[in-house]
Amino acid sequence: MFAAGTDTTHTVMNWAMTELLRHPKILEKLQTEARQVAQGKPEITEDDLDKMDYLKAVIKETLRLHTPIPLLVPRESTQHVKLMGYDIPAGTRVMVNAWAIARDPSLWNQPEEFQPERFLNSTIDFRGFNFELIPFGAGRRGCPGTTFAVAVNELALAKLVHKFDFALPDGVEPKDLDMSESTGITIHRKNPLFAVAIPHSG
């Protein structure tokens, strides 16, 4: 459980920082929110997260566009069912492709674009009740660590953007960032992300 939680958290943070560096205006907006919420305090705490709506939107959009585990844990159908014209007999092993669902153009406007704003006035969440966004699965057998994972990701990202300004190495433009994905149980960046972290003086 610790290994799985560490790997998926690392994956989400890596993709979140990649997208923020690709979209400097989104990064700036998130930094502004974090620094206003901190109000001069040396650290952002878990208690501050409820005031950070844009942070939550950034995490949701990262989980949507870069679902850490693309294929959810296999399930077995308990009875025969006909679904969208397909006969699925009882006892069939079923794999749910959460990655494809989260990029389905019939469910999402401009699904390949990183747009945290899509979640600002939306009730869609990843707790397993909105089936267009199920990075943690759904139902009784959804991920038991959802609440912990989300809190860790939100707090880590909030602390990073509060304390640091970020830039790409000399000569690298946001549009030049390689967005290639690796293959495996979790979808990592194929190549490492390199960024320059500058302590924020404000």
Side-chain angles (χ1 to χ4, degrees), residues 16-34:
M17 287 305 304
T18 301
E19 290 291 1
L20 290 171
L21 286 163
R22 283 184 76 215
H23 301 89
K25 289 184 179 178
I26 294 175
L27 173 57
E28 184 180 346
K29 187 171 180 179
L30 181 58
Q31 287 174 316
T32 299
E33 179 184 68

Side-chain angles (χ1 to χ4, degrees), residues 8-202:
T8 51
T9 298
H10 158 261
T11 302
V12 172
M13 290 300 299
N14 207 336
W15 282 117
M17 287 305 304
T18 301
E19 290 291 1
L20 290 171
L21 286 163
R22 283 184 76 215
H23 301 89
K25 289 184 179 178
I26 294 175
L27 173 57
E28 184 180 346
K29 187 171 180 179
L30 181 58
Q31 287 174 316
T32 299
E33 179 184 68
R35 290 162 187 172
Q36 286 176 346
V37 166
Q39 295 180 338
K41 293 188 303 184
E43 295 287 342
I44 282 183
T45 67
E46 196 172 343
D47 293 335
D48 296 318
L49 298 180
D50 285 339
K51 306 169 205 161
M52 301 187 69
D53 293 335
Y54 198 66
L55 170 71
K56 292 179 184 304
V58 167
I59 294 291
K60 283 183 186 178
E61 182 68 341
T62 302
L63 288 167
R64 181 196 69 80
L65 194 56
H66 303 287
T67 307
I69 301 176
L71 299 176
L72 302 182
V73 176
R75 302 285 193 248
E76 187 174 297
S77 59
T78 57
Q79 60 189 27
H80 178 272
V81 64
K82 193 173 187 75
L83 181 66
M84 298 176 71
Y86 292 92
D87 283 305
I88 302 174
T92 300
R93 180 167 286 192
V94 179
M95 304 284 286
V96 176
N97 189 335
W99 184 95
I101 293 169
R103 292 177 180 232
D104 187 339
S106 70
L107 300 171
W108 302 96
N109 183 38
Q110 296 182 295
E112 299 295 328
E113 297 297 319
F114 186 75
Q115 299 175 352
E117 283 76 10
R118 75 174 82 236
F119 289 107
L120 288 180
N121 295 304
S122 169
T123 58
I124 294 175
D125 205 355
F126 39 65
R127 307 286 175 184
F129 300 105
N130 305 107
F131 297 130
E132 59 267 64
L133 185 67
I134 50 171
F136 299 104
R140 290 178 299 168
R141 292 176 180 85
C143 176
T146 300
T147 301
F148 175 72
V150 171
V152 168
N153 281 312
E154 288 180 353
L155 190 58
L157 188 57
K159 285 177 176 286
L160 281 173
V161 298
H162 171 230
K163 287 289 194 179
F164 296 96
D165 292 316
F166 290 92
L168 290 168
D170 287 343
V172 179
E173 296 292 328
K175 62 181 175 56
D176 296 332
L177 277 173
D178 181 7
M179 300 302 287
S180 300
E181 299 174 338
S182 65
T183 55
I185 295 174
T186 54
I187 295 187
H188 297 272
R189 285 176 48 83
K190 189 172 183 179
N191 298 303
L193 172 66
F194 293 101
V196 180
I198 305 144
H200 179 66
S201 58

